[in-house]
Amino acid sequence: MSRLILDLLLRATAETLEMVLASGLLAVIGGLPLAVLMMLTGPSGLCRMPWLSRPLGLLIDAVRAVPFIILLVLLIPFTRYVVGTSLGTTAAIVPLAIAAIPYFARIAEVSLREVDPGLIDAVRAMGGTRWMVVRYVLLPESLPGLISGFTVTLVTLVGASAMAGAIGAGGLGDLAIRYGYQRFNTPVMLGVVLVLIVLVTGLQALGNVCSRTARHGSR
Amino acid sequence: MSLLAVEQISRQFGGQTALQDISFTVERGDSLGIIGRSGAGKSTLLRCLNGLERPDSGRILFEGEDLAAVPDNRLVMLRRKIGFVFQHFNLLSSRTVASNIALPLEITGAPAPQRKKRVAELLDLVGLSDHASKYPALLSGGQKQRVGIARALAANPALLLCDEATSALDPETTSSILKLLSDINHNLGLTLVFITHEMDVVRQLGRHVVVLEHGRIIARGTPDSVLQNDPPLRLPSGLSPTARAGDHTVLRLTLDTQALIAPLLADSAAQATVLDAQARQTGGTQTLEALVQLSTSTPDALSLLQATAQSVEVIGYVPSDT
Ligand SMILES: Nc1ncnc2c1ncn2[C@@H]1O[C@H](COP(=O)(O)OP(=O)(O)OP(=O)(O)O)[C@@H](O)[C@H]1O
Ligand SMILES: [Mg+2]
């Protein structure tokens, strides 16, 4: 019995980690360039383009406004088109990533905007191009903030991935609902909650360490 | 050809004038101080000199190329020949001291061995060789500014701009930074344009000075000539360093007040000593108000003075030995 629970928990943890890390990675790949674009084309940016930054900001916020469970359903055709099925762990990564990209984009944008404008001036005064400003100033200087923001995104994804259980995505949330909520299997439910607590606090602690290391004693 | 020739530049920020009709030239190896009150437009002017800010009108000729008119990609290349030192250092916290100094060389695309050699030279010049691998957060203000200066010198610029490089530092650190800047100017022959609001800095570092007020140059000259005049003389607007056809000449005279007044008493036995004098602007006329001590108060001396002076008033008497 406890052997079985352990097996279930291990498999579910692996599925959750797969969903969270894959969609987290996609959130950075998609969200970071969006954040840089928003910052550069925004009102005080280096290449002001309101015709681009405004609609982009609107789109980002529109996606963030849709409750995740609705997004999950809305995206079923798209998910089926991308991964061939709308069920299972891999399929859940698509809506999770779509939700996480604008989420992380906004968080990353805040970090980028917090970079001291004097540093941008410094690199421009040296004869740096706009790309060099991004490469030498914006990204490295906001790295501690970006890492913290990424940690928050991952933790949010842990919660969201539980909802993806609704489309049979598996993972810890799915396990908790099927065994704990539907069958009143308290040991499994408690086990899931325990693993989730360990997972979230572990992610947060790791994120804090990385962020502090990247800070190099400043602030 | 001057290294830098600023010709009648103006800049407005939303209807508010930050710079108006500014002209001056800077020769190679020269050092020019820009002084003026807070909000006078000093930083705006300096930022125009490396194109961080574009003037609304006028020309800024750097080695003959107009910074106000060149396209962006050319401006980026020209900036690589102009170093900039900031009041608040603006060092990248993500890079070590050595790597901060190397950044301008990475930007110009210098190969790694050459970068390393140059960084070592500069660390030596500013006396920070022991701190090469530290991050800026661990340095004192003075050390940070040394890194700022080394970084500004890294790409061998033709011109060094300093915006209040010492304003965030204590007096002792200030004098060591000033010494460094003055060595760079004298020994390396690097042209310097700096902003300050401290007279001592101008005296130590400047060979020429311009005084800015409300976006205009109200005085210019050597530190001695400018700082003596307190308040400085008001220069006419539209003053240009070069003469155009039909121009009038503007010059600065220094007159001995004693020599001005003595001839008035040539026909009298009385001796006049000027105790104090001050130029005054009353309506449209310039007057000189002088406090004069006469050796004998003979009536003829007084009437001689009254004949020329606008007013004469006897205000008291002092013993002859004063
Ligand atoms: N980017 C800007 N937008 C709007 N107004 C500006 C901007 N930069 C400067 N100004 C205005 O231009 C004027 C001159 O500013 P500037 O910073 O050049 O003065 P400053 O002489 O350097 O003063 P301080 O000694 O305080 O540094 C000020 O009135 C300021 O408010
Ligand atoms: Mg200023």
Side-chain angles (χ1 to χ4, degrees):
Chain A
M1 161 66 190
S2 70
R3 183 63 216 250
L4 189 71
I5 294 178
L6 209 64
D7 260 8
L8 277 173
L9 274 178
L10 271 178
R11 241 191 69 200
T13 307
E15 284 165 353
T16 294
L17 277 176
E18 185 194 336
M19 283 188 283
V20 167
L21 294 181
S23 52
L25 190 70
L26 289 171
V28 174
I29 293 172
L32 193 54
L34 274 182
V36 171
L37 199 63
M38 289 291 291
M39 149 123 208
L40 290 182
T41 60
S44 53
L46 280 182
C47 4
R48 249 154 286 167
M49 286 188 239
W51 55 266
L52 180 64
S53 73
R54 278 207 210 118
L56 197 62
L58 222 62
L59 180 70
I60 286 176
D61 291 337
V63 177
R64 290 198 310 154
V66 179
F68 180 64
I69 195 85
I70 308 282
L71 196 68
L72 210 55
V73 177
L74 279 179
L75 284 174
I76 285 177
F78 178 69
T79 307
R80 195 173 292 145
Y81 173 74
V82 175
V83 290
T85 170
S86 60
L87 295 174
T89 310
T90 317
I93 291 171
V94 175
L96 282 172
I98 300 278
I101 286 171
Y103 185 80
F104 181 69
R106 278 294 187 206
I107 293 186
E109 192 194 342
V110 170
S111 296
L112 292 174
R113 283 190 196 286
E114 273 169 7
V115 172
D116 179 0
L119 302 182
I120 297 173
D121 275 353
V123 169
R124 286 218 299 146
M126 286 171 205
T129 58
R130 293 190 182 105
W131 161 242
M132 288 171 180
V133 169
V134 173
R135 159 106 176 61
Y136 294 130
V137 185
L138 291 179
L139 295 180
E141 289 295 316
S142 62
L143 189 62
L146 291 177
I147 293 174
S148 299
F150 183 56
T151 311
V152 171
T153 306
L154 286 184
V155 169
T156 308
L157 279 171
V158 171
S161 74
M163 262 187 266
I167 57 162
L172 289 164
D174 188 32
L175 192 66
I177 290 169
R178 275 191 291 138
Y179 284 77
Y181 181 69
Q182 288 166 354
R183 298 187 202 168
F184 300 105
N185 187 332
T186 315
V188 173
M189 198 168 71
L190 287 181
V192 167
V193 171
L194 199 69
V195 173
L196 281 174
I197 290 175
V198 170
L199 199 63
V200 168
T201 49
L203 278 174
Q204 190 61 53
L206 190 67
N208 289 350
V209 170
C210 292
S211 174
R212 204 171 322 120
T213 311
R215 196 149 285 173
H216 299 304
S218 62
R219 269 171 288 171
Chain B
M1 184 178 62
S2 309
L3 177 68
L4 187 69
V6 175
E7 295 178 355
Q8 297 184 306
I9 60 167
S10 298
R11 179 78 167 99
Q12 300 214 328
F13 290 111
Q16 194 203 351
T17 303
L19 292 178
Q20 200 178 353
D21 226 0
I22 304 276
S23 300
F24 59 85
T25 57
V26 182
E27 303 302 325
R28 272 170 214 281
D30 195 2
S31 105
L32 173 74
I34 300 171
I35 58 176
R37 291 197 196 110
S38 188
K42 306 182 296 290
S43 296
T44 308
L45 176 56
L46 206 67
R47 290 167 65 85
C48 283
L49 299 189
N50 77 346
L52 278 182
E53 197 83 64
R54 296 238 193 190
D56 298 329
S57 61
R59 302 201 301 167
I60 301 166
L61 299 175
F62 173 71
E63 295 185 330
E65 277 182 87
D66 185 4
L67 296 182
V70 293
D72 274 349
N73 54 356
R74 181 66 193 147
L75 188 58
V76 162
M77 299 315 283
L78 288 174
R79 282 195 192 123
R80 296 180 184 178
K81 295 198 247 175
I82 304 174
F84 204 108
V85 179
F86 296 87
Q87 178 177 359
H88 297 292
F89 328 125
N90 294 358
L91 303 179
L92 298 183
S93 65
S94 54
R95 290 178 162 244
T96 61
V97 165
S99 158
N100 261 288
I101 298 174
L103 187 54
L105 300 168
E106 279 177 54
I107 284 176
T108 56
Q114 193 186 323
R115 286 205 303 260
K116 216 173 152 208
K117 184 164 160 285
R118 180 78 181 130
V119 169
E121 272 169 29
L122 288 161
L123 281 169
D124 190 42
L125 176 77
V126 301
L128 286 178
S129 301
D130 296 341
H131 302 277
S133 52
K134 277 194 185 168
Y135 283 92
L138 305 175
L139 300 180
S140 70
Q143 290 171 329
K144 283 182 193 168
Q145 196 56 296
R146 284 169 184 276
V147 178
I149 292 169
R151 180 178 70 175
L153 296 177
N156 281 313
L159 173 65
L160 187 65
L161 307 175
C162 303
D163 190 349
E164 309 209 24
T166 58
S167 299
L169 305 174
D170 62 64
E172 216 164 292
T173 319
T174 293
S175 70
S176 82
I177 294 288
L178 289 182
K179 171 100 180 35
L180 176 63
L181 287 173
S182 136
D183 283 351
I184 288 165
N185 178 233
H186 283 105
N187 304 342
L188 306 182
L190 188 62
T191 315
L192 199 63
V193 176
F194 63 95
I195 290 179
T196 182
H197 52 242
E198 289 162 84
M199 298 306 155
D200 288 343
V201 176
V202 179
R203 287 211 181 81
Q204 266 192 58
L205 222 50
R207 260 172 259 182
H208 292 100
V209 186
V210 299
V211 184
L212 228 55
E213 198 176 297
H214 300 306
R216 292 164 170 275
I217 295 183
I218 55 161
R220 65 175 92 213
T222 62
D224 281 342
S225 73
V226 169
L227 301 182
Q228 254 175 15
N229 292 315
D230 195 21
L233 300 182
R234 301 192 165 266
L235 295 183
S237 65
L239 192 69
S240 154
T242 50
R244 290 151 302 194
D247 271 0
H248 288 202
T249 309
V250 176
L251 38 82
R252 185 199 313 276
L253 288 181
T254 311
L255 299 171
D256 180 355
T257 328
Q258 184 79 44
L260 272 180
I261 291 176
L264 304 181
L265 292 169
D267 297 337
S268 155
Q271 295 273 314
T273 315
V274 177
L275 299 176
D276 198 7
Q278 201 162 26
R280 287 194 193 279
Q281 185 95 35
T282 39
T285 50
Q286 277 285 348
T287 55
L288 182 72
E289 188 177 55
L291 207 54
V292 178
Q293 184 177 329
L294 288 179
S295 58
T296 50
S297 142
T298 48
D300 72 308
L302 276 180
S303 59
L304 275 172
L305 287 174
Q306 266 156 352
T308 319
Q310 293 194 314
S311 69
V312 175
E313 181 193 356
V314 177
I315 51 177
Y317 303 89
V318 286
S320 63
D321 53 332
T322 343

